[in-house]
Amino acid sequence: MSWQTYVDDHLMAEVEGNTLTSSAILGHDGSIWAQSEKFIPFKPEEFTSIMNDFNEPGFLAPTGLHVDGAKYMVIQGEPGSVIRGKKGSGGITIKKTGQALIVGLYDEPLTPGQCNMIVEGMGDYLIDQGM
């Protein structure tokens, strides 16, 4: 299965009639393996900050998570494994696997829990597959 299929058929799949607004699978070097149509790639400094938070949990807490010029408040993640951010009625979940980052952005009516389930579920599956 191609990486694009994981994005199209799994990350962007409907949950109770709703979907993520955008998603992507990225390498630890920032390369895009696959992305949804509306995903806007991270700027180099945004990606570096995300990786710093995975390596030093809490790194983003003082400044927030910045993505495409928007600032997300960092909320209850799993240190070294999951970063979650909230901004208004939407947010972001990023799950780190051994080789990739799984990224999902959402807005209402999709809930934070649904986004977490989609992104973290895909990440857990890839981890189980040795990825």
Side-chain angles (χ1 to χ4, degrees):
M1 184 170 358
S2 76
W3 290 114
Q4 193 61 49
T5 302
Y6 283 108
V7 169
D8 296 340
D9 295 350
H10 300 286
L11 291 175
M12 296 305 293
E14 282 192 16
V15 175
E16 297 178 16
N18 303 305
T19 63
L20 295 171
T21 55
S22 67
S23 64
I25 301 173
L26 311 171
H28 285 185
D29 62 357
S31 62
I32 297 175
W33 294 3
Q35 66 184 37
S36 66
E37 184 179 326
K38 295 182 181 178
F39 182 77
I40 298 171
F42 295 133
K43 296 178 177 115
E45 62 273 13
E46 294 170 344
F47 186 80
T48 298
S49 293
I50 290 165
M51 291 305 289
N52 284 343
D53 194 78
F54 281 121
N55 296 326
E56 300 172 40
F59 177 84
L60 290 172
T63 60
L65 169 62
H66 294 266
V67 175
D68 190 34
K71 180 180 177 181
Y72 292 80
M73 178 177 60
V74 178
I75 56 174
Q76 50 171 268
E78 296 172 24
S81 176
V82 178
I83 297 170
R84 297 183 188 115
K86 183 83 173 123
K87 177 183 176 290
S89 63
I92 185 170
T93 302
I94 306 169
K95 169 80 176 185
K96 183 180 180 193
T97 73
Q99 299 177 29
L101 299 183
I102 314 304
V103 181
L105 290 101
Y106 70 93
D107 209 344
E108 289 182 342
L110 199 77
T111 67
Q114 290 170 322
C115 178
N116 297 342
M117 178 186 69
I118 294 165
V119 173
E120 294 174 40
M122 173 61 67
D124 291 340
Y125 170 78
L126 292 177
I127 289 168
D128 289 344
Q129 301 304 307
M131 297 298 298

